[in-house]
Amino acid sequence: MPVVLQLLDAHKRYGEQELLDGAACALTDDQKVGLIGRNGAGKSTLCRVLLEDEELDAGEVVCSKKLRLGYLRQHDPFHDGETVVGFLMRDSGQPDWRCGEIAWQFQLPDAMLHQEVRSLSGGWQTRVKLAALLLHDPNLLILDEPTNFLDLRTQMLLEEFLNGFKGGLLVVSHDRSFLKRTCNHTLELSRGELTMFPGNVDSYLENLEERRLHDERKNAATLTKRKQLETFIAKNRANASTASQARSKAKQLEKLDLLEVAGQEATVRFSFPNVEPRQGVVLRTEQLAIGYPDHTVAEQIQLELEHGERIGIVGDNGQGKTTFLRTVCGSLEPKAGTLKWGYGCQIGVYAQHVYTTLRDNDTVQEYLEYQAAPGTTRQQISGVAGSFLFSGETVEKPIRVLSGGERARLVLAGLLLEKHNVLILDEPGNHLDVETVEALADALERYPGTVIFTSHDRHFMRRVATAVVEVREQRVVNFPSSYDDYLYRIRKELEAGLRAEHASYGGASIPDGQATPARLSGREERDLQKKLKATERKIAKSDERKKELEAELLTVTTTGDADRVREELVDLAGEVEQLEEEWLETFNALESEG
């Protein structure tokens, strides 16, 4: 595994901030490396340095003669009126048949190859850029936040591409699931230094926690030893017979240094204000249609969402997830039907566009104080501000000098300080680093209110979502199972190529002469959803009872008791089998409707 790119004793400063302070790393042509670090640590700067788009203050970037460097461009490289195949041929110099062959790997349909590339959605344009990247035959790729705004399907295609890629990889991403699936090494940029760890991001974070606990225990032992030595010295240095011992102990004391606890800057925790848990229906829609004056995005929407659920909204880009969220939070009027919130709902909204409406002359501190619920202490405000990387002098910055990412984080921080029992969040993790996304997931798991959210981050979605609503082919429906089951279905569809074309072109049509399947009524669909959830609760309860019986079987002392427990286990197995058949029947009824 030859080294193809090296960074040696690198130094880079912006004003008072030391981004690189003697940093060094070596990248080979077969390592898959995930680059992580806190927001503002300098990850993007490091990528630009390695690409030689930015110069170091001191140090050196060493490129092997064998290096063929490729990077996923964030800007638009397309010409006006240029088709997909035209761009691929111009960019790579390869013939059309070769371009078509590579495009097929990203499930770009033949019809799309001759379509104007700028008319495609952002996700499809990313697939085109990935195909162009592969046509250049690189042996090292540098990707800076490649999953931003990509839908699940395109993320999975990108993963397949990177897993099959024979060269090396350096990828910056806040998406922990994506890093875990594509990278087998982790490179952390922290306090200006680079540390390489031979394992994926999960293993790295676990190791980091183990090292932190080890260092904390060692520091505790050192402090105890220090106290013992200081007590001995204080008692004995004035005594002539023990003064030499005291001097010896003083030398030992000088050598007892405390360790700098690893990963201290990664500890981020925050909480939403406490709200009173509620029960019953939080949101009900009847024959709802959503969209715009000249375009209907989805119709005949029959939903009934419960208080206390954390509902993940899923679906491909362009299917209408954001339109649905804008409608339920009141920023977009329904086109037809009704939408009704439960009594006493206090709704808080985080949307990608909100940060552009902030008052430029307010400081960070002033904005957060204005947003905070009555009774919030200054300490609580400072804690939330620090969690979102606003601390020290940065809380006095006027909003007009903040970057787009900083403004977005500020809006989310303000939301944490308000008193809402319903939160609507549109891609809340897009501008947050891995540690802060984890902290946000922790806070949402503890939050007793209702959350309706969308995210392309699978790890975040898996942790937070307790229910799933799918936006697909002009319908918005409860997905009748877990987020993991949804991922499984999408992966199978992708592998089979079942929806690669009609995801962009509006859905498959029904063959001539074939009747359109009858649709369930809203009440029928809700009844099936309730039946499915009730069956799932029964199965979960049976599983708990099975564990109790298995534990009891290990402790019984008589044959009669053992026989009784085994008999109940047999009966329980039969009940579970019947419940699973009932669940599958209900699930299939809902699936056939979708």
Side-chain angles (χ1 to χ4, degrees), residues 268-270 437-447 463-464:
V268 181
R269 284 188 66 83
F270 49 86
V437 169
E438 286 295 295
L440 176 60
D442 286 339
L444 289 172
E445 284 184 316
R446 298 192 304 272
Y447 176 61
R463 281 199 58 188
V464 176

Side-chain angles (χ1 to χ4, degrees), residues 230-414:
E230 287 167 352
T231 301
F232 182 90
I233 293 166
K235 286 182 178 179
N236 294 283
R237 62 184 167 190
N239 190 324
S241 62
T242 57
S244 61
Q245 288 180 288
R247 287 193 295 271
S248 175
K249 298 293 185 184
K251 290 179 181 179
Q252 290 181 35
L253 182 61
E254 289 175 4
K255 295 177 182 179
L256 288 178
D257 295 323
L258 292 174
L259 298 171
E260 181 179 353
V261 177
Q264 279 185 324
E265 68 171 358
T267 55
V268 181
R269 284 188 66 83
F270 49 86
S271 294
F272 294 96
N274 286 327
V275 297
E276 191 69 30
R278 301 177 70 87
Q279 293 183 339
V281 176
V282 67
L283 176 65
R284 178 182 286 120
T285 69
E286 293 282 354
Q287 299 298 317
L288 181 68
I290 62 174
Y292 306 89
D294 61 342
H295 175 56
T296 298
V297 172
E299 56 189 346
Q300 295 183 331
I301 301 171
Q302 302 282 145
L303 289 177
E304 195 171 90
L305 307 180
E306 299 288 327
H307 274 292
E309 287 187 318
R310 299 190 297 271
I311 302 108
I313 310 298
V314 300
D316 292 348
N317 282 354
Q319 292 290 310
K321 298 189 299 295
T322 297
T323 303
F324 175 70
L325 290 182
R326 289 186 61 196
T327 304
V328 299
C329 72
S331 67
L332 195 63
E333 287 292 322
K335 295 198 71 177
T338 60
L339 179 155
K340 186 176 181 180
W341 286 100
Y343 175 76
C345 289
Q346 298 169 302
I347 302 166
V349 179
Y350 173 84
Q352 293 294 329
H353 66 279
V354 170
Y355 63 80
T356 62
T357 64
L358 303 179
R359 293 181 298 208
D360 286 349
N361 292 327
D362 283 358
T363 65
V364 169
Q365 183 75 27
E366 288 169 343
Y367 174 81
L368 293 177
E369 288 176 350
Y370 177 79
Q371 294 296 121
T376 306
T377 67
R378 193 176 183 87
Q379 183 178 4
Q380 288 171 320
I381 293 172
S382 297
V384 169
S387 296
F388 282 85
L389 311 180
F390 298 111
S391 58
E393 294 180 358
T394 60
V395 296
E396 299 303 326
K397 277 185 177 183
I399 288 173
R400 65 175 177 274
V401 305
L402 300 181
S403 68
E406 287 173 322
R407 290 184 181 216
R409 294 202 311 273
L410 180 61
V411 172
L412 188 53

Side-chain angles (χ1 to χ4, degrees), residues 533-587:
K533 289 183 179 180
T535 306
E536 287 173 350
R537 287 193 293 269
K538 289 177 183 176
I539 292 173
K541 189 175 180 180
S542 297
D543 284 341
E544 288 298 317
R545 180 57 182 158
K546 181 182 176 184
K547 291 177 184 177
E548 292 173 2
L549 290 170
E550 287 172 344
E552 185 181 348
L553 192 61
L554 296 175
T555 60
V556 293
T557 56
T558 67
T559 304
D561 285 340
D563 290 342
R564 174 186 55 78
V565 172
R566 290 192 186 97
E567 185 178 344
E568 188 173 347
L569 277 170
V570 171
D571 291 342
L572 192 62
E575 290 176 16
V576 169
E577 185 177 352
Q578 186 175 347
L579 286 169
E580 287 176 343
E581 288 177 0
E582 183 180 325
W583 184 94
L584 186 61
E585 182 181 341
T586 310
F587 178 85

Side-chain angles (χ1 to χ4, degrees), residues 7 20 23 25 35 42-51 170 187 189 194:
L7 186 70
L20 300 174
C25 68
L35 175 60
K43 301 185 296 296
S44 293
T45 299
L46 175 62
C47 289
R48 290 194 297 270
V49 165
L50 294 174
L51 292 166
L170 178 68
L187 182 65
L189 177 56
L194 286 166

Side-chain angles (χ1 to χ4, degrees), residues 491-529:
R491 190 171 294 281
K492 288 299 181 184
E493 286 181 355
L494 195 60
E495 289 172 358
L498 294 177
R499 291 177 64 205
E501 187 165 354
H502 73 228
S504 177
Y505 292 106
S509 60
I510 298 171
D512 291 340
Q514 182 174 324
T516 303
R519 299 174 75 95
L520 294 173
S521 70
R523 180 176 295 278
E524 287 172 333
E525 188 170 330
R526 285 198 301 273
D527 288 345
L528 283 174
Q529 294 284 0

Side-chain angles (χ1 to χ4, degrees), residues 107-266:
Q107 296 197 349
L108 291 161
D110 290 342
M112 189 180 286
L113 294 180
H114 303 285
Q115 191 172 338
E116 186 177 338
V117 68
R118 280 184 174 161
S119 70
L120 305 179
S121 68
W124 285 109
Q125 287 187 17
T126 298
R127 296 193 195 190
V128 173
K129 287 190 280 188
L130 288 168
L133 193 64
L134 191 57
L135 284 162
H136 285 279
D137 191 29
N139 60 1
L140 178 65
L141 297 180
I142 294 180
L143 309 179
D144 188 2
E145 295 291 359
T147 63
N148 269 1
F149 308 109
L150 293 186
D151 60 29
L152 178 61
R153 203 173 302 276
T154 307
Q155 284 187 37
M156 288 179 172
L157 281 174
L158 179 55
E159 285 174 3
E160 291 300 316
F161 162 55
L162 295 177
N163 287 331
F165 180 63
K166 302 301 182 184
L169 171 68
L170 178 68
V171 57
V172 180
S173 179
H174 63 272
D175 187 330
R176 185 165 163 180
S177 179
F178 181 80
L179 287 175
K180 182 180 177 181
R181 286 179 173 273
T182 58
C183 299
N184 52 27
H185 286 67
T186 302
L187 182 65
E188 185 189 35
L189 177 56
S190 175
R191 302 184 180 98
E193 297 182 354
L194 286 166
T195 304
M196 183 74 81
F197 176 80
N200 66 31
V201 64
D202 282 358
S203 299
Y204 173 78
L205 293 174
E206 289 169 9
N207 179 266
L208 188 69
E209 181 64 21
E210 289 172 5
R211 282 190 289 139
R212 183 186 299 122
L213 293 173
H214 172 270
D215 291 349
E216 287 174 350
R217 286 194 294 268
K218 193 163 185 179
N219 279 346
T222 299
L223 289 171
T224 301
K225 184 67 174 176
R226 272 187 177 181
K227 189 173 182 179
Q228 292 170 348
L229 291 173
E230 287 167 352
T231 301
F232 182 90
I233 293 166
K235 286 182 178 179
N236 294 283
R237 62 184 167 190
N239 190 324
S241 62
T242 57
S244 61
Q245 288 180 288
R247 287 193 295 271
S248 175
K249 298 293 185 184
K251 290 179 181 179
Q252 290 181 35
L253 182 61
E254 289 175 4
K255 295 177 182 179
L256 288 178
D257 295 323
L258 292 174
L259 298 171
E260 181 179 353
V261 177
Q264 279 185 324
E265 68 171 358

